[in-house]
Amino acid sequence: MRLVGEHKAKKGLIRIEIEEENGIARKVMISGDFFIYPESVVDELEKTLEGVRVEDIEGKLDEFFSIRHDVEMPYISVEDFKIAIRKALEERK
């Protein structure tokens, strides 16, 4: 099942697509018009979230950003990513 969630943050759109199979995020794609540095963080985050049970994705996101203190995200926050994830997961209901 393909789940898509979008959230318009203060300065940019965050779009998260989750290919879910049997409750597991098989593929995660993060896109949008936001700024994040270093840019490679998006790829790392996608890989971190893949293979995770969909109900555990928010916790894994928190864990990822709690150890990555080098990430700069002007005008967006971890909470903005969580909102996009929640919107994607609403499609499962």
Side-chain angles (χ1 to χ4, degrees):
M1 172 180 259
R2 184 170 169 259
L3 309 169
V4 179
E6 293 183 342
H7 171 62
K8 179 71 172 122
K10 185 176 181 181
K11 289 280 185 171
L13 177 75
I14 297 172
R15 177 183 172 92
I16 297 184
E17 295 180 49
I18 302 167
E19 294 288 338
E20 180 255 346
E21 182 182 313
N22 297 322
I24 305 293
R26 295 293 176 206
K27 181 149 180 70
V28 177
M29 295 154 284
I30 301 170
S31 59
D33 63 351
F34 58 91
F35 293 100
I36 191 166
Y37 182 82
E39 291 178 14
S40 61
V41 168
V42 173
D43 291 334
E44 291 172 38
L45 181 56
E46 289 172 342
K47 286 177 180 48
T48 297
L49 299 178
E50 290 173 1
V52 174
R53 295 192 55 74
V54 290
E55 57 267 5
D56 298 332
I57 286 180
E58 280 190 54
K60 195 69 165 175
L61 184 84
D62 281 333
E63 183 181 309
F64 178 85
F65 282 109
S66 73
I67 59 173
R68 288 300 304 261
H69 301 288
D70 62 324
V71 177
E72 295 177 35
M73 303 185 296
Y75 305 108
I76 63 170
S77 68
V78 174
E79 186 62 29
D80 291 315
F81 283 96
K82 287 181 177 182
I83 292 169
I85 289 169
R86 286 183 207 128
K87 287 181 178 181
L89 296 182
E90 285 175 3
E91 293 185 25
R92 295 178 77 212
K93 298 177 181 175

